[in-house]
Amino acid sequence: MTKKKTSNVIIFCILCVLVVAFLTPIFFVLINSFKGKLFISNNPFALPTAETFAGLTNYVNGIEKTGFFTAFGWSAFITVFSVAAIILFTSMTAYYLTRVKTGVTNVLYYMFVFSMIVPFQMVMFTMSKLANMTHLNNPPGMVLLYLGFGSGLSVFMFCGFIKSIPLDIEEAAMIDGCNPLQTFFGVVMPILKPTAITVAILNAMWIWNDYLLPYLVIGLSTNYKTIPVVVQYLVGSYGAKDLGAMMALLVLSVIPIIVFYLTCQKYIIEGVVAGAVKG
Amino acid sequence: MQKTLKRYFPIFVLPTLIAFSFAFIIPFVMGVYLSFCKFKTITNAQFVGLENYIKIFADKDFVNAFGFTLKFSVVSIITINVFAFILALALTRKIKGTNLFRTVFFMPNLIGGIILGYIWQQMINAVLLKYETTLVANPTYGFWGLIILMNWQMIGYMMIIYVAGLQNVPTDLIEAAEIDGATSLQTLFKVKIPMVMPSITICLFLTVSNSFKLFDQNLALTAGAPSKKTAMLALDIYNTFYGRSGFEGVGQAKAVLFFIVVAVIALGQLVLTRRKEVEQ
């Protein structure tokens, strides 16, 4: 027993060191975001001093150069509505595909499953051109596209769960005079809630952080830029780098994620495990 | 019941199906067709047969990207899974602060690839500053930078899955092994690892497909510099589409090839490890 205790103490110490190592990059960006932009490259690991401290200048610069709050708004708009649409429509589709057994539903189901293994690059060019031609190059259009892209995994996960729900409850509801819509929203949807949370978290994480789809479809010229797009826009290829503004912007982009994570941690971790096991 | 529900197709399936067609079905079919065409925009395609595919193999960048992706995938899959499994073993020993450790280790996973890439670009450049060099001076730096970045991001995720797997190993099984005089290493290799094989399948699958399809982190960290030596397949395809006028067809052909490679690897790996799972 004592042998186990000493090894646990050693493991505890190693884990503490690892925690510090894991947090270093975040702190690194944080301390540098408060330094004057010309001082950052001199001694990047030093804390800001009276001479190098720049207050919130970098934050003001970064926000002005990129319109960060507008980007935050569009990121939130696209994420919230896409996730809502995915939950609503793919759960209905999954219900139909599981309960109605025909050749058509079978083919559709396998098409959704198939889409999960196709890398984005395969459809990247044709999809963004098609979206331009059909005027989907705006936030509501993005919601439609995310519903389409998210449907593979989401339909698959909902189907897996709906299969395990006994038919009796639904049949009882039908006999009581419910039409399929009433049955679905009144009886099936409440049972689906845990899966719906998992699907919502997996999709929210992906859509919030997605860079390529909004960049290709909406582009840089409009005011609909999302957070990953403005970060790339500021740091990527445009003119002389303002390291200070960049650090500030990175901090600003990480804050909403950490807040979201710390408030919904339980659901996120459960969702990720459930999603991985089913996916 | 089936009959009544069947009539509700337009409400239950159509919205998803329309979105799915715009985002996936039509672009996919067009993509396959256009890989045999020469085109600038998708409306003026001209059929050229296998020409695009032949051009791929003369493309040094693509061959290099393929090698880089393969090398990167092998190293990152091994490191991520080994470290994640060790951490999971440590976190299932009921040590104080387990929850805090888990929270911290998982956190990087939620941060998007573009942002992660730039955070690490700055970190690594700051370290390399002491040696008066930068991340893009040498492809080896870019390679290991990407490995460190992906480990930082993915270890927590895989760790969570391994923890869930390890917690499901029945304690009486481990106790029985201990009573029979098994050392802790023997318990690990003869009991725990065979029992968490399903988790290993999942983690391998996730890391394999994730490493092969990596794009955002690659773009943000080095964007392929120096001279496309650190570009992975997804980035190379992107560059072919948007960086070289007149090569859209070649880009699409590369994308088809990429899709086939990803599909074969993912499915092959799934079949292989599923076979090794023990009935519980």
Side-chain angles (χ1 to χ4, degrees), chain B residues 150-183:
Chain B
M150 286 316 289
N151 269 277
W152 190 66
Q153 183 181 21
M154 300 295 290
I155 281 178
Y157 190 170
M158 300 307 143
M159 176 197 76
I160 297 273
I161 299 172
Y162 284 131
V163 166
L166 283 169
Q167 279 167 345
N168 282 336
V169 178
T171 37
D172 44 337
L173 214 61
I174 296 168
E175 276 162 16
E178 274 164 10
I179 290 166
D180 288 345
T183 63

Side-chain angles (χ1 to χ4, degrees), chain A residues 200-249:
Chain A
I201 283 167
L202 291 178
N203 281 301
M205 277 163 51
W206 157 61
I207 295 171
W208 178 269
N209 289 324
D210 193 24
Y211 162 72
L212 209 44
L213 184 63
Y215 171 73
L216 291 176
V217 173
I218 292 184
L220 293 174
S221 52
T222 62
N223 293 321
Y224 303 135
K225 293 192 279 281
T226 59
I227 292 178
V229 178
V230 293
V231 170
Q232 172 70 10
Y233 171 75
L234 176 76
V235 195
S237 42
Y238 289 82
K241 270 188 190 173
D242 179 344
L243 276 181
M246 169 178 177
M247 297 286 185
L249 206 61

